[in-house]
Amino acid sequence: MSYEGWILLTGSLVGISCGIVGCFLILRKMAMLADAISHTVLLGIVGAYLISNSLEGIYMLIGAAIVGILTAFFVQLLHSSGVQSDAAIGVVFTSLFAVGVILLSLFAGKVHLDTDHALMGEITFIPWDILEINGINLGPKAVWMLGAVLVFNLIIIFLFYKEIKISSFDPDMAVALGIPVLLIHYLLMGMLSLTTVASFDGVGAILVVAMLIVPGATAYLLTDKLSVMLIISAIVGVLSAFAGYFIATIFNVSISGSMAVAAGVIFAITFVFSPTHGLLSRWLARKRLQNKSA
Amino acid sequence: MNPVTVENVTVAYHRKPVLQEVSFSVPEGKLIGIIGPNGAGKSTLIKAILGLVPRASGDVYIYGKPYKQQRKLVGYVPQRGSVDWDFPTNALDVVLMGRYGHIGWFKRPSKKDVEFALSCLEKVGMKEYANRQISQLSGGQQQRVFLARALAQDATVYFMDEPFVGVDAATEKAIISLLNELKAQGKTVLVVHHDLQTVKEYFDWVLLLNMRKIAIGPTEETFTMENLQKTYGGRLTFLNQQHAIINQQ
């Protein structure tokens, strides 16, 4: 596949994975937790490097999953002992992220990792970091990692669809029915951590939040059915990746930045023109009512 | 055997007690109103029974066994305001959630489950709204969807948290006839309620609650001026009004 093709594939995989996981974050009103985890996984990545002494994807994923779930756990712990949930997120997020940054700057000399890279990602280098087995070129490592995480996410959602659905809509009822709501919560946080770290190389910690939240928020405006919302969100993720790539080549700017901008533009258009929830349709509906009553 | 037995249940939020050593049991096949002022712990009592809030102490038995072993016997109608009605789902899907406890892990609702859910919607007069997005339902219709979901649980003991709050007259009627139908089937229903005027009309039994159990028993014997005074404390003007109402009835 061409250089361009790999970048588009990477971007699309980021868009699909983030788009799907993001839907659940929005419905559970946990967008802020996505922001937190997308930053604290940095500690997981650095920690994984310091322990394993390698930058292999699998160690990164394990480290990120552990720190991601720890983040969710600490937030839950503070919240249940009386700290406001947004304050709890703020405290945990900044502390763990700061530890990550300090460790990173301490060992920066030895690691092919730097703060800029972690925050912004560098999708342009991805096609050159190739997975080779027995001398056979299997394509970029990042694509394999993103693909594996996507498959994992899809399996989890497929297996636990109704449990995830009811614990998002009505957690009290879910508990009363005997569904382990807390376990489902940590499962989702695990998925979020894996998705974030797999997307890290591509779009970085800050822009991954855009890819997590914006496609889901767009899909939310376009449908009244959860399964459809997941599909639309994935499609918006892919569209953002493609549109972002072409914007970036035309204006010769950052690809990941353009992807986030493209997602934002798609959201803005939907916000105004959505046939059911858009500003325009609601305005027209109101006009019609006024005319009727007049 | 008693459908519900509560023994010495104490619940505290951040060390502030909400319920103190509440003990009671209820007979089978009755409609039981849980009555008390705001902040008396009525909803908390239901939540403590269902394990939704942690109990500082005490035990709960459903037909003689701990709730965890008897989940399938219990149906629950939470307060309507406790969920986000903008969630992307329709009325039928919400009712199907009542079946989740019976379906088990890794399985989807079967055709039978869907048919059963539809029949539950029919019982509350909502069948034609099955495919309606839940945010497009009125408050009363949303409440009826919650009732249908509890029916879909196919339980023998029901707990309902303020089902009459903010509903239209049609829904109120639908709920009452549903309660009576459940009773006729020998099911036991505990309802958190705070409209004192309708207590005598709706409920066979009452549980008067204000952090502690004040009284429990058949409405005729228990829903008295004296007990109400104990439950509501010194809110005299309010109680005088209630006195007038009770005398009228």
Side-chain angles (χ1 to χ4, degrees):
Chain A
M1 197 159 21
S2 67
Y3 174 83
E4 191 178 49
W6 285 120
I7 288 188
L8 285 172
L9 182 61
T10 309
S12 302
L13 286 171
V14 169
I16 296 171
S17 279
C18 290
I20 290 174
V21 173
C23 285
F24 294 111
L25 299 176
I26 289 169
L27 293 174
R28 297 163 79 93
K29 307 191 169 38
M30 295 192 320
M32 278 305 294
L33 208 51
D35 198 10
I37 285 182
S38 68
H39 284 74
T40 56
V41 288
L42 179 67
L43 175 58
I45 291 176
V46 180
Y49 172 77
L50 291 179
I51 292 168
S52 72
N53 246 321
S54 101
L55 278 170
E56 284 302 318
I58 185 72
Y59 298 113
M60 305 286 122
L61 285 177
I62 294 170
I66 293 172
V67 176
I69 288 170
L70 271 182
T71 307
F73 175 74
F74 285 139
V75 169
Q76 191 82 20
L77 190 74
L78 287 181
H79 180 52
S80 62
S81 38
V83 181
Q84 297 275 339
S85 71
D86 52 349
I89 290 173
V91 170
V92 174
F93 155 24
T94 46
S95 322
L96 293 184
F97 181 59
V99 174
V101 170
I102 289 171
L103 287 178
L104 192 55
S105 53
L106 270 178
F107 299 95
K110 302 176 212 159
V111 199
H112 152 74
L113 251 185
D114 61 74
T115 340
D116 267 3
H117 185 113
L119 290 179
M120 309 298 286
E122 205 33 274
I123 203 168
T124 41
F125 295 149
I126 278 177
W128 291 316
D129 190 9
I130 297 289
L131 180 70
E132 252 178 66
I133 294 176
N134 296 331
I136 302 164
N137 180 345
L138 292 169
K141 280 178 185 165
V143 169
W144 283 97
M145 191 148 97
L146 278 163
V149 168
L150 176 59
V151 169
F152 174 78
N153 285 349
L154 289 176
I155 289 174
I156 296 284
I157 291 172
F158 181 78
L159 287 180
F160 301 106
Y161 188 72
K162 67 183 194 305
E163 284 79 14
I164 296 174
K165 184 171 171 180
I166 190 173
S167 62
S168 303
F169 171 63
D170 192 348
D172 273 1
M173 185 68 174
V175 172
L177 289 174
I179 288 164
V181 171
L182 207 59
L183 190 74
I184 299 281
H185 175 69
Y186 287 124
L187 203 57
L188 280 172
M189 292 302 105
M191 282 163 61
L192 170 61
S193 311
L194 294 179
T195 307
T196 307
V197 78
S199 311
F200 234 71
D201 261 346
V203 294
I206 295 178
L207 294 172
V208 75
V209 181
M211 297 309 283
L212 279 165
I213 303 304
V214 182
T218 309
Y220 185 75
L221 294 173
L222 288 171
T223 176
D224 289 331
K225 206 166 176 336
L226 177 58
S227 48
V228 180
M229 181 175 165
L230 295 172
I231 293 166
I232 295 182
S233 186
I235 293 171
V236 172
V238 173
L239 280 180
S240 309
F242 273 74
Y245 179 76
F246 290 111
I247 295 171
T249 40
I250 291 168
F251 297 103
N252 195 19
V253 289
S254 147
I255 296 174
S256 54
S258 305
M259 280 167 59
V261 169
V265 170
I266 295 173
F267 174 80
I269 293 170
T270 312
F271 184 68
V272 177
F273 295 105
S274 160
T276 46
H277 301 72
L279 275 186
L280 197 66
S281 71
R282 276 186 291 167
W283 181 77
L284 285 174
R286 223 173 17 242
K287 273 277 168 226
R288 231 174 290 139
L289 267 176
Q290 280 168 359
N291 288 342
K292 243 185 216 167
S293 57
Chain B
M1 196 180 287
N2 286 319
V4 182
T5 304
V6 170
E7 283 176 3
N8 286 316
V9 164
T10 297
V11 175
Y13 283 134
H14 304 308
R15 293 202 198 133
K16 208 177 116 208
V18 189
L19 284 177
Q20 284 184 349
E21 290 167 18
V22 175
S23 298
F24 65 90
S25 46
V26 301
E28 198 167 37
K30 301 281 183 215
L31 303 181
I32 299 138
I34 302 175
I35 318 289
N38 287 335
K42 303 183 295 279
S43 296
T44 307
L45 175 63
I46 287 191
K47 289 183 175 171
I49 292 172
L50 300 179
L52 305 181
V53 298
R55 298 193 289 266
S57 64
D59 295 299
V60 172
Y61 301 97
I62 305 292
Y63 283 102
K65 287 187 191 154
Y67 172 70
K68 277 188 182 163
Q69 296 171 26
Q70 305 279 56
R71 286 185 204 281
K72 285 186 184 165
L73 298 182
V74 177
Y76 176 42
V77 179
Q79 282 185 20
R80 185 159 50 86
S82 66
V83 305
D84 174 12
W85 290 94
D86 284 325
F87 196 90
T89 190
N90 61 28
L92 177 63
D93 255 2
V94 173
V95 177
L96 272 172
M97 289 178 188
R99 300 300 304 155
Y100 284 8
H102 296 265
I103 295 171
W105 292 95
F106 311 124
K107 286 188 221 141
R108 300 283 137 108
S110 66
K111 223 175 170 181
K112 247 180 161 174
D113 290 313
V114 174
E115 276 163 21
F116 188 64
L118 280 170
S119 76
C120 295
L121 271 171
E122 194 165 19
K123 276 187 192 151
V124 297
M126 290 286 293
K127 197 177 180 185
E128 59 270 43
Y129 296 95
N131 293 317
R132 189 71 70 88
Q133 149 69 15
I134 52 173
S135 67
Q136 289 165 18
L137 301 170
S138 73
Q141 290 169 333
Q142 290 173 347
Q143 188 66 61
R144 279 191 261 169
V145 168
F146 260 11
L147 283 164
R149 183 176 70 173
L151 291 180
Q153 287 184 269
D154 200 16
T156 42
V157 185
Y158 286 92
F159 294 90
M160 304 186 179
D161 202 345
E162 306 258 23
F164 295 103
V165 164
V167 302
D168 51 291
T171 300
E172 180 147 358
K173 249 188 208 156
I175 299 175
I176 293 299
S177 69
L178 192 69
L179 289 180
N180 285 314
E181 196 188 317
L182 289 171
K183 181 179 145 183
Q185 293 167 10
K187 303 190 170 178
T188 310
V189 190
L190 288 92
V191 182
V192 171
H193 191 65
H194 71 215
D195 178 12
L196 294 178
Q197 299 188 37
T198 49
V199 170
K200 282 196 165 174
E201 191 186 329
Y202 292 172
F203 300 111
D204 311 317
W205 268 50
V206 286
L207 164 63
L208 294 170
L209 190 75
N210 192 351
M211 275 173 64
R212 296 167 180 280
K213 178 190 74 181
I214 309 294
I216 184 168
T219 311
E220 291 297 309
E221 299 161 25
T222 316
F223 193 67
T224 60
M225 194 58 215
E226 195 196 344
N227 280 336
L228 280 175
Q229 192 121 31
K230 278 192 210 157
T231 313
Y232 286 81
R235 297 177 209 177
L236 276 176
T237 46
F238 168 75
L239 276 173
N240 285 339
Q241 284 167 12
Q242 296 304 326
H243 195 58
I245 290 163
I246 289 167
N247 284 343
Q248 274 168 21
Q249 283 171 351

